[in-house]
Amino acid sequence: MFAAYVTVTIVAAVFTGSAAVTYLIGHDYPKAQLDMKRLPRSWGPVLGMLLAAGSLGLLAGFAVPLLGALAAAGLVLYFVGAFVAHLRVGSRQLVGPAVFFVVSVAALALNLSYHGPW
């Protein structure tokens, strides 16, 4: 159980951390995604910071399990919002948000099952 918890948490942190970097450096892909979803480009750095905070929170969860659970829950909510944003504009490109969502849910579930809910 411990190996699964550590592995999935690290994978989730790497996924969300790399997405955060693309938002924060101003890469073209996040800008295109914001345009496609009809969101202001000024939201890019904010979304990048949310992803970065989630990624760092997952890693901090190894020392403070409650922080890791809260970070994973925040990422789950973030990616629910990503699904809503895609569906709002009629986009059917849901594989990306689905992968991130599933990894975040797995990190949350494994954190809670390994450490307990409180």
Side-chain angles (χ1 to χ4, degrees), residues 5 9-10 12-18 20-21 24 48-72 75 111:
Y5 161 63
T9 301
I10 289 174
V14 168
F15 277 16
T16 56
S18 63
V21 168
L24 293 173
M49 290 302 293
L50 290 172
L51 287 168
S55 179
L56 293 174
L58 287 174
L59 296 176
F62 291 126
V64 182
L66 179 61
L67 185 59
L70 292 173
L75 287 170
N111 182 306

Side-chain angles (χ1 to χ4, degrees), residues 14-91:
V14 168
F15 277 16
T16 56
S18 63
V21 168
T22 62
Y23 273 93
L24 293 173
I25 66 171
H27 192 271
D28 289 336
Y29 181 75
K31 290 177 183 176
Q33 288 293 307
L34 290 169
D35 292 342
M36 183 263 299
K37 294 172 195 145
R38 295 191 296 259
L39 296 172
R41 284 193 176 187
S42 63
W43 286 20
V46 174
L47 295 173
M49 290 302 293
L50 290 172
L51 287 168
S55 179
L56 293 174
L58 287 174
L59 296 176
F62 291 126
V64 182
L66 179 61
L67 185 59
L70 292 173
L75 287 170
V76 168
L77 292 175
Y78 178 95
F79 292 114
V80 167
F83 271 114
V84 170
H86 275 272
L87 295 174
R88 182 179 63 89
V89 296
S91 171

